[in-house]
Amino acid sequence: MPVSFGVLGPVIAQAADGAPLALRGPRHRAVLARLVVARRHVVPVDRLVADLWGEEPPADGAGAVRTFVAALRRALEPDRPPRARPQLLVTEGPGYALRPAPEAVDAWRFEAALAADPHGEAPPATAARLSAALGLWRGPALAELGDAAWVRAERGRLTELRLHAVERLAAAHLAAGAAERAAADLDAHVTAQPWREEGWRLLALSLYRVGRQGDALAVVRRARTTLRDDLGLDPGPRLRRLEEDVLRQAPHLDPDRADPADQVWESARAAYDTEVRAGSRARLESTAGLVRDLAVTGGGGLAQARRHRLAAVQAAERLGDPELTARVIGVHDVPAVWTRSDDEQQAAATVAAARRTLDRLPPGRDAARCRLLATVAVESRGVPAAGPGADTPPGPPAARDAVRLARRLGDPALLAFALNGAFMQEFRSTGRSAARAGIGAELLELARRHGMVRFEVLAHLVLLQSRCAVGDLAGAGAHAAAADGLAARWDLPLVGVFTTWYRALRTASGGTTEEGRAAYRAAARSLVGAGMPGVAEGLLPLALLGVDLLHHRPPRFSGDEEWGPYRPWVAPLLRLAADDRDGAVRALAAVPDPPGDLLTEARWALLGRAAIAAGDRVAAARALRGLRPAEGEWAGAASGMLTLGPVSELLPRLVAAAR
């Protein structure tokens, strides 16, 4: 480099051997600095005049600028022959431009070092690169140039970059295990720049890592006081989170103790908080994706996911962008196997939002439309069939359209989600286990071929239910084992709820009455804290009643059972157990048709048994019509969790009672 320039401190120019070049007076330095700030672009003469003298330029300001430029050219290119064209400070059109090489200006080298992102660079190398970049600074940027608007703007920009570099250097020292060095640099940094919240956070973290937990907490509290007193602000979420983590001695704060996955999580979360601005739509979409993953982490995660999901959908709708809303709704393709919603109000609100978005979606957005239709199909599970004069439920047509559209698009992930919706709507009548088995088989092949583990688990559970429905408990066991294996490998704890209950069903079918009841009481513990009230509510007493009926024992009622959604179909049996035949007949007349779900046949069987015992011909005929299509199935076993016994054993008795 024949000539280099410095603006990270007093403005200077140097020859190739490092000797300073004589720039004469402050106006000459100001012209040179203004051309450096222009980054090789032309600055018109009238702009230079305005920037040098402001609102009161001299009468011959343009002539003065030409004089300064001529002097600068002599200093920068002393060996240029007379009348030879300048190569460094050139004239173009109405003004002048400085054309040094990119590496010839200290500010440009500094910015390049900050922007560099060498792939796989180790933390010590990053620290060395940033340290060298900060070493280019010789004092305040553009020192001795006063307070003109262009100087303030450029000085402020470069200063902000330097402060950011100091914090990045500290983070690199931390990543390299040099917490003491980071703490030493940061203490001076926050003293000089007390409003830099990231500096306070890094200082507290550095102190924690050198074993000074009390000092780390004191720094956080000092930051809170400083921010509140000087700026009237409370600490942001990252600093508050650090205080909480220090108090509980969170493992991820110490790299020697932290799990690698926790370290990556915390690092990525910190980067996201820094780089993605608050209130951006990207944050809303990321939240929706995070909620989807939260839903399969366990009971607490599932319950939290339901709450946050609806909030994300409502936030998207408020923004008025149907395509964004479609993405936020459709990203929640969490496999669903149980046909009763855990929160019917939330499900209804989600369906309503999806239908509104479908109406507003621009033409040609077929993938988004498919996801919305599949969402409607999944979330409208268990919605009763339309009665006379009622609106047609949205689920069945949405399921058909979603599958058709997914097949046309050729998108395996969309098809898997659409097939889940089709499964949820395959309960419009009894005895349809074969149709559901077909969906499960297609879903299993699709999921295996494309590596969709969660939908592969769903397929095994669907096939488990389908095999149980026809009494093939051994065949169901193979799918239970496969689902458990995938769940263990991929950390899907809720799968165990369904396989545990399947094994209780198998014990109840092959063992004694008391063995079956004990197995179900043990299985019920898997539902505690599972976050699935749609599954859990009323299930244990129904399963225990099923054990008695399966073994041809009189039902045993304690009077303390919480029957939940199954009470209307159990009520006639409760009246009969109390020797109230008339009450049983009245209860039979009041029982509605069962909703279309995994326990439809079980509800019909309860109604049928009560009708037989009460001698109610009308109710017996009604149960006969409901159960006849399921002649080859076991009542309730389509759930994969309980059964009241083979439908074929009940049908002849219903025929006789209905005469």
Side-chain angles (χ1 to χ4, degrees):
M1 292 184 296
V3 180
S4 61
F5 302 91
V7 294
L8 300 179
V11 178
I12 60 171
Q14 293 176 310
D17 61 0
L21 300 178
L23 298 180
R24 302 180 65 177
R27 297 289 185 191
H28 297 76
R29 296 175 189 275
V31 170
L32 180 62
R34 182 63 184 83
L35 295 174
V36 169
V37 169
R39 302 185 74 92
R40 299 174 60 89
H41 290 94
V42 173
V43 182
V45 171
D46 57 355
R47 179 74 265 168
L48 284 170
V49 171
D51 285 345
L52 262 63
W53 286 284
E55 296 180 356
E56 298 181 2
D60 190 22
V65 167
R66 293 188 187 97
T67 300
F68 299 151
V69 168
L72 285 170
R73 282 172 171 165
R74 288 192 295 272
L76 298 178
E77 298 181 74
D79 298 328
R80 180 170 57 88
R83 297 187 180 83
R85 182 180 298 235
Q87 300 298 310
L88 192 55
L89 203 170
V90 302
T91 302
E92 279 191 14
Y96 302 102
L98 188 69
R99 297 285 168 76
E103 63 274 15
V105 179
D106 59 358
W108 299 356
R109 297 204 306 276
F110 173 72
E111 292 180 62
L114 263 61
D117 186 20
H119 180 69
E121 184 178 57
T126 301
R129 171 167 54 82
L130 294 171
S131 182
L134 286 165
L136 295 170
W137 284 74
R138 296 168 287 106
L142 303 171
E144 304 174 354
L145 285 191
D147 199 35
W150 69 272
V151 175
R152 288 199 311 272
E154 184 65 6
R155 183 182 291 143
R157 186 183 73 84
L158 291 170
T159 301
E160 177 63 25
L161 287 175
R162 184 183 67 79
L163 296 176
H164 185 52
V166 170
E167 290 161 2
R168 286 178 58 186
L169 175 60
H173 284 321
L174 281 170
E180 288 187 0
R181 182 170 180 180
D185 293 344
L186 287 164
D187 192 50
H189 176 67
V190 299
T191 300
Q193 317 291 339
W195 59 87
R196 301 286 298 187
E197 189 169 325
E198 180 65 2
W200 289 108
R201 189 189 72 83
L202 289 167
L203 176 57
L205 181 57
S206 302
L207 293 170
Y208 182 88
R209 289 192 180 173
V210 296
R212 296 165 60 185
Q213 180 179 349
D215 289 340
L217 285 172
V219 163
V220 175
R221 288 160 185 171
R222 197 167 104 226
R224 179 187 292 111
T225 300
T226 301
L227 291 168
R228 184 172 56 242
D229 292 349
D230 292 355
L231 300 176
L233 298 174
D234 288 326
R238 297 185 70 194
L239 198 56
R240 293 199 305 270
R241 190 183 305 126
L242 177 63
E243 182 177 23
E244 295 168 1
D245 289 344
V246 169
L247 285 169
R248 64 185 179 89
Q249 297 183 334
H252 71 80
L253 294 182
D254 187 343
D256 293 332
R257 294 190 296 130
D259 180 89
D262 287 343
Q263 284 184 283
V264 172
W265 169 266
E266 290 299 327
S267 177
R269 181 175 69 172
Y272 193 92
D273 282 345
T274 301
E275 302 300 332
V276 183
R277 65 178 178 82
S280 68
R281 299 188 177 200
R283 284 204 172 212
L284 186 57
E285 288 194 64
S286 298
T287 299
L290 189 64
V291 167
R292 172 193 59 194
D293 295 336
L294 184 64
V296 298
T297 60
L302 181 59
Q304 289 287 340
R306 283 196 295 273
R307 179 169 64 87
H308 291 298
R309 181 196 182 188
L310 185 57
V313 171
Q314 291 170 338
E317 280 206 287
R318 284 196 296 272
L319 292 173
D321 182 344
E323 293 186 74
L324 173 66
T325 305
R327 293 194 297 271
V328 169
I329 294 173
V331 75
H332 199 88
D333 55 353
V334 178
V337 72
W338 195 251
T339 47
R340 180 168 178 259
S341 175
D342 291 317
D343 186 330
E344 294 179 357
Q345 288 185 335
Q346 187 241 39
T350 302
V351 169
R355 297 179 75 182
R356 287 192 297 270
T357 306
L358 279 166
D359 290 339
R360 299 177 57 213
L361 204 62
R365 305 300 194 270
D366 288 347
R369 189 171 300 278
C370 183
R371 283 193 173 274
L372 289 171
L373 289 167
T375 298
V376 171
V378 170
E379 295 299 336
S380 59
R381 68 187 95 170
V383 174
D391 292 336
T392 301
R400 289 192 299 270
D401 291 347
V403 171
R404 175 185 55 77
L405 196 51
R407 292 194 196 283
R408 181 168 66 77
L409 292 170
D411 186 324
L414 278 179
L415 182 55
F417 189 26
L419 288 171
N420 195 175
F423 166 75
M424 284 296 170
Q425 296 301 324
E426 195 52 74
F427 294 87
R428 56 187 177 273
S429 65
T430 56
R432 297 192 59 81
S433 64
R436 298 193 290 272
I439 293 174
E442 180 179 2
L443 188 56
L444 182 59
E445 189 276 334
L446 181 73
R448 282 175 169 170
R449 180 155 34 100
H450 295 283
M452 295 181 288
V453 175
R454 293 174 184 174
F455 282 105
E456 185 177 352
V457 171
L458 172 65
H460 280 300
L461 294 178
V462 169
L463 292 168
L464 177 154
Q465 293 170 340
S466 302
R467 298 319 305 161
C468 285
V470 294
D472 180 9
L473 301 186
H479 292 292
D484 278 336
L486 290 168
R489 181 179 177 188
W490 296 98
D491 197 17
L492 303 171
L494 295 178
V495 173
V497 172
F498 297 98
T499 56
T500 296
W501 276 77
Y502 152 74
R503 293 185 179 92
L505 165 60
R506 195 162 182 178
T507 299
S509 301
T512 66
T513 305
E514 295 310 315
E515 287 171 341
R517 293 175 71 88
Y520 276 124
R521 292 188 190 280
R525 291 195 288 271
S526 69
L527 283 167
V528 176
M532 296 190 290
V535 178
E537 194 177 8
L539 194 65
L540 177 59
L542 184 63
L544 297 176
L545 173 58
V547 173
D548 289 337
L549 298 178
L550 179 65
H551 290 273
H552 308 291
R553 298 289 185 87
R556 284 175 277 180
F557 301 114
S558 68
D560 296 326
E561 296 90 352
E562 294 290 340
W563 295 101
Y566 311 110
R567 174 166 286 280
W569 292 272
V570 179
L573 290 174
L574 294 174
R575 300 315 310 160
L576 288 168
D579 292 327
D580 182 3
R581 180 186 174 281
D582 291 341
V585 171
R586 289 193 298 273
L588 282 165
V591 174
D593 284 351
D597 62 21
L598 285 162
L599 289 167
T600 299
E601 289 87 355
R603 289 181 172 96
W604 278 121
L606 290 172
L607 188 150
R609 287 179 180 275
I612 292 167
D616 187 330
R617 293 171 55 194
V618 173
R622 183 181 169 206
L624 181 62
R625 288 192 299 272
L627 279 175
R628 198 184 292 279
E631 183 174 4
E633 299 187 5
W634 285 37
S639 65
M641 302 176 87
L642 61 87
T643 185
L644 278 62
V647 172
S648 59
E649 291 183 4
L650 188 58
L651 287 178
R653 298 171 59 199
L654 285 172
V655 169
R659 289 176 181 158

